[in-house]
Amino acid sequence: MDLIALVRHALDPQEPIVPFSSTVQERYEQWLTEQGQKGVIFTEEQRQWLDAIKDHIAKSLRIEEDDFDYAPFNTIGGLGRVHDLFGERLPGILDELNRRLAA
C-alpha cells in the first residue's frame, strides 16, 4: 500500500486511497499539456529527463539540484547535462514540478 496515500486518507477520511505515483502521473500530464498550450516544446531528450524528474518526485516527494548527482541522473550526465538541456529555465521548472506534482 502507498504510505503517502494512507497518510492523506488518515488526515482526511474523505480523501480516496489512490497510489501517489498515479496522482503524480496525472498532474505531470496536466502540466505537460499546459506547457504545450503555452507553446513550450520539449525535445525528446528533455522529455526523458522530465520523465525521470517526475519519477523521482513520485518516490521522494520533491527534487533538488543535488539529486542530479545520484542515480539515475548521474548515469545520463548528471547536473551538467540537465543544465545543458534546460539552461536558466531549470530552477523554475524544478520549482514548478515540485509544487504541482507533490502538492
Side-chain angles (χ1 to χ4, degrees):
M1 189 61 63
D2 188 314
L3 182 61
I4 295 167
L6 287 173
V7 169
R8 285 185 172 178
H9 181 73
L11 293 172
D12 180 4
Q14 301 300 322
E15 181 80 24
I17 299 177
V18 176
F20 185 65
S21 60
S22 296
T23 301
V24 169
Q25 181 65 38
E26 182 179 310
R27 291 174 180 170
Y28 176 62
E29 290 171 9
Q30 290 171 347
W31 181 81
L32 286 173
T33 298
E34 290 170 12
Q35 296 304 301
Q37 291 169 345
K38 294 177 186 176
V40 177
I41 298 172
F42 296 109
T43 67
E44 184 176 330
E45 187 176 8
Q46 286 174 323
R47 276 298 306 272
Q48 290 171 344
W49 274 86
L50 289 169
D51 290 348
I53 290 167
K54 178 257 310 171
D55 291 342
H56 182 85
I57 291 171
K59 293 175 188 163
S60 302
L61 297 178
R62 79 179 282 103
I63 190 160
E64 303 290 339
E65 286 193 17
D66 292 348
D67 294 319
F68 295 115
D69 291 333
Y70 305 101
F73 305 108
N74 64 349
T75 64
I76 54 175
L79 184 59
R81 184 63 188 145
V82 77
H83 268 290
D84 289 345
L85 290 171
F86 294 101
E88 61 189 43
R89 294 180 3 203
L90 180 63
I93 289 171
L94 295 180
D95 181 57
E96 189 169 355
L97 288 174
N98 280 324
R99 283 186 293 106
R100 294 282 305 271
L101 303 187

